[in-house]
Amino acid sequence: MAVRGTWNDTRSRGRVAIGVARLIGDSEAMVALRDEVGRAAAAPFPVLIEGESGTGKELVARALHEEGPRRDETFAAVNCATFSDDLIETELFGHAKGAFTGAVQSRRGLLEASSGGTVFLDEVGELSPRAQAKLLRTLQDGEIRKVGENVTRRLDLRVVAATNRSLAAEAAKGRFRHDLLYRLDVVHLQVPPLRDRGADIARLATYYWDRTLVQTRGRARLAPETMNALAAHEWPGNVRELQNVLAALAVAAPAHGEVGPQLLPAAIRRAAEERRPTLAEARRAFDRTFVYDALTRSGGRRSPAARELGLSRQGLAKLVTRLGIASQKPPRVR
Ligand SMILES: Nc1ncnc2c1ncn2[C@@H]1O[C@H](COP(=O)(O)OP(=O)(O)O)[C@@H](O)[C@H]1O
Ligand SMILES: [Mg+2]
């Protein structure tokens, strides 16, 4: 099945990707994931998304919602790690008036409020045993009961959960209920870490660099060496770390021209320096220096430089573009 994802035109923000189109990357793993998301979206079953922090689990959850038949209904995300035991219960299930001290009004929980739509339970592994038991009952019965109330209400929910650890391992250690695991883990989606899909780094970096420049009103470009250094990094914090590095880089960068790798954090720079360049990279670096030197000797005039290099004027122009030779800055040879 080919699920494509769509684009939305919004007046203030330009074109915004919807559905699987949100997921950038052409690596095999990403192409496969987009396909799986499209298929899972069409079915009504619960989905468990596993992956390291910052890999895009929430994005996958949104894509699932937007590709599915509930796309026009509510998508409610709740981070199970950010609430205390009591709060998560009232947050999810709501409470009746007078259920506890301070419950001056009855309150609808998130599950009830998003009935008809999708609820995204982020970091579901962090739920307390009590909340796990209550969630299990809710999912089994398809009904919800507020804290401090005996009335039940029918629920119609698509449940998507995410975790950055293996929930099966958590269950094996007794930290997560097996029965709840089976309820949640019907369709399983694994989001690979960025280091396992290095082919996606350049596209992600370009996308987020452009977005950052809109925010900083900058116009600088990432030098090829900078891009190589980004591609060589391990990214333990995954796409979120990449976004943060680019934001810091945009602040440090000049308004125009090329952003060299010297502005990158030392750890990323050093890793790239220690890595041996590939033959293609070394050739490119050689070509850049060679062409740059010829242009320097000719004082920037293209015709004499082209003659010296044995190229046509158009040939040189193309090469200058392809090699990304900035007018002022000498390229660095590794
Ligand atoms: N494949 C991707 N394409 C575009 N942006 C991505 C991708 N994966 C992650 N991101 C972005 O990276 C950031 C972290 O993603 P998020 O979904 O919050 O990760 P997680 O929930 O796994 O911690 C978000 O801003 C998200 O939009
Ligand atoms: Mg997250």
Side-chain angles (χ1 to χ4, degrees):
M1 181 171 60
V3 184
R4 214 31 67 71
T6 51
W7 296 81
N8 241 9
D9 275 309
T10 64
R11 201 169 298 175
S12 55
R13 288 165 61 203
R15 273 151 58 94
V16 180
I18 297 292
V20 289
R22 288 177 182 272
L23 298 165
I24 295 172
D26 297 321
S27 64
E28 252 177 71
M30 231 345 139
V31 172
L33 183 64
R34 275 198 296 268
D35 185 54
E36 288 172 52
V37 168
R39 278 191 257 197
F45 311 125
V47 179
L48 180 66
I49 307 167
E50 274 186 15
E52 288 176 17
S53 218
T55 48
K57 296 187 294 298
E58 178 154 1
L59 216 52
V60 167
R62 281 181 194 281
L64 275 169
H65 175 73
E66 290 162 354
E67 293 289 347
R70 293 167 184 255
R71 62 178 71 87
D72 295 325
E73 307 297 329
T74 318
F75 174 88
V78 58
N79 187 336
C80 303
T82 53
F83 293 100
S84 68
D85 199 0
D86 290 341
L87 271 183
I88 189 81
E89 277 198 66
T90 60
E91 186 72 19
L92 286 179
F93 305 97
H95 59 72
K97 185 175 169 177
F100 47 84
T101 328
V104 283
Q105 270 179 3
S106 101
R107 179 172 183 228
R108 272 204 323 172
L110 205 107
L111 296 178
E112 191 185 336
S114 45
S115 191
T118 305
V119 65
F120 174 50
L121 302 172
D122 201 2
E123 307 205 37
V124 73
E126 307 303 316
L127 281 181
S128 70
R130 227 173 72 183
Q132 287 180 35
K134 195 153 178 182
L135 178 63
L136 176 68
R137 218 172 316 125
T138 307
L139 297 180
Q140 272 168 348
D141 303 343
E143 285 180 346
I144 193 157
R145 197 155 54 85
K146 286 181 182 175
V147 175
E149 198 179 71
N150 282 322
V151 197
T152 56
R153 292 177 177 77
R154 296 280 332 146
L155 272 189
D156 166 31
L157 273 183
R158 175 88 197 265
V159 179
V160 178
T163 168
N164 54 25
R165 332 181 209 181
S166 157
L167 220 48
E170 291 296 294
K173 288 182 211 149
R175 289 203 284 252
F176 199 82
R177 296 181 68 116
H178 283 283
D179 40 13
L180 182 56
L181 171 64
Y182 298 136
R183 280 273 159 190
L184 298 174
D185 195 4
V186 178
V187 178
H188 189 95
L189 294 179
Q190 195 75 38
V191 187
L194 192 52
R195 64 183 162 280
D196 289 351
R197 45 187 165 105
D200 292 344
I201 293 174
R203 276 209 52 202
L204 281 165
T206 305
Y207 176 80
Y208 282 112
W209 179 251
D210 289 347
R211 276 209 5 192
T212 309
L213 287 190
V214 171
Q215 291 170 310
T216 60
R217 297 165 190 266
R219 320 183 66 121
R221 283 163 292 126
L222 297 178
E225 294 86 351
T226 307
M227 201 56 114
N228 290 343
L230 294 176
H233 184 55
E234 286 273 301
W235 301 108
N238 294 295
V239 184
R240 189 166 298 116
E241 183 189 359
L242 176 61
Q243 291 174 336
N244 294 346
V245 164
L246 290 173
L249 194 60
V251 171
H256 302 271
E258 283 200 334
V259 183
Q262 72 280 359
L263 291 178
L264 286 170
I268 297 180
R269 217 172 50 222
R270 268 199 303 274
E273 279 160 5
E274 279 159 18
R275 185 180 140 264
R276 301 287 307 156
T278 62
L279 181 59
E281 285 165 4
R283 277 188 180 143
R284 187 184 157 92
F286 174 83
D287 285 358
R288 285 187 100 215
T289 314
F290 205 79
V291 171
Y292 182 86
D293 288 350
L295 280 165
T296 307
R297 277 193 296 280
S298 73
R301 286 175 306 134
R302 295 272 170 103
S303 295
R307 215 174 307 123
E308 184 189 317
L309 293 166
L311 296 168
S312 67
R313 243 188 83 89
Q314 298 93 310
L316 176 60
K318 273 190 202 151
L319 199 58
V320 163
T321 308
R322 184 163 65 77
L323 296 172
I325 296 175
S327 39
Q328 340 78 359
K329 197 177 151 287
R332 200 167 58 95
V333 188
R334 283 200 296 221

